[in-house]
Amino acid sequence: MSSFEIEDDAVVEKGKTAKIADYLVERAEENVGQLYLFDPSMTIVDYTGDTCGLCGKSDNEILALRQPGMHTWELPNYYLLFLPNTPVQPLFEEALENWTATGDISAVTKQRLKENKASVEIYDEQWNRIEVLGERYEKLNKPQLLEEKYDIFEHAELNQSAALSNDKTFVVRMPNPSYKPFEEPFNKAMVLFVSIFFGGHIILLLGVLFLSISISRQFVRPLVYVISRIERLTQFDYSEISDKKNPS
């Protein structure tokens, strides 16, 4: 979600209660995420979605959130937080818990990885990929794990990582089911524009051509008649020239 989607009526107040406006509830769903409304004391006043993932977390835990795609907005008397629901997050937490406890991934988690076409990768200190569980993708470069603020629709792949106690790096990655590249609709729009542009000009050209032929025939016929008459007169032929298209 972006700032231009947040309008003055983002919060609907009724007496002592406050709610997130209905249009923002729809925007949050369209953007595959949740909105949380906080008051200045960090109390969650309202949220979108079926469950409150942040309810029960301490203020410090909420302040420590560093989730790609999250945004905050300051409103009069309130603060609005958008958290995208990235499908890689629960997979990552489950797989990391398995690995930390047993040094392996359970059969149940492997099945979930398979269903989501996800993979677990382990990298050593020299950034050699030493283990892959699940789908096998091209090796990641280390800078690709840098945290960044981006909309969930912008990246074809989602990933999340954590440093292990033995200086290795634990990575979970999967295709982004919400990926909507800008280039695809842009290219379609350009093809449509070019088709309409050239198609319209071709139709216009044909129309002008047919109109020109029609007009020219109306002007050329009398001229041909005059020239033919002059040619006959030069040959001393005074007979009347008949117009086949106008026998009268």
Side-chain angles (χ1 to χ4, degrees), residues 147-162:
E147 289 187 2
E148 58 178 326
K149 280 193 174 184
Y150 59 80
D151 290 327
I152 193 172
F153 308 108
E154 293 180 2
H155 288 249
E157 182 180 281
L158 300 173
N159 63 63
Q160 199 158 344
S161 63

Side-chain angles (χ1 to χ4, degrees), residues 116-132:
N116 290 276
K117 297 182 180 179
S119 71
V120 171
E121 300 178 355
I122 309 297
Y123 292 83
D124 64 14
E125 293 178 81
Q126 287 74 41
W127 205 249
N128 298 308
R129 187 166 61 177
I130 58 177
E131 192 161 355
V132 177

Side-chain angles (χ1 to χ4, degrees), residues 39-92:
D39 65 14
S41 64
M42 281 290 287
T43 301
I44 297 175
V45 178
D46 191 23
Y47 61 90
T48 64
D50 299 326
T51 59
C52 179
L54 298 185
C55 296
K57 290 185 179 291
S58 67
D59 291 355
N60 288 335
E61 287 176 315
I62 296 174
L63 291 172
L65 285 173
R66 294 293 182 273
Q67 191 168 323
M70 64 181 286
H71 297 280
T72 57
W73 296 272
E74 184 175 352
L75 307 173
N77 303 319
Y78 297 98
Y79 295 86
L80 200 60
L81 170 66
F82 175 74
L83 283 180
N85 294 327
T86 56
V88 73
Q89 178 74 25
L91 272 178
F92 171 78

Side-chain angles (χ1 to χ4, degrees), residues 1 5-6 10 20-35 47-49 82 153 180:
M1 293 185 65
E5 297 179 84
I6 309 299
I20 298 171
D22 290 341
Y23 78 90
L24 283 181
V25 175
E26 294 177 5
R27 294 286 191 282
E29 187 175 343
E30 290 170 2
N31 286 274
V32 197
Q34 279 187 285
L35 282 169
Y47 61 90
T48 64
F82 175 74
F153 308 108
K180 295 178 183 178

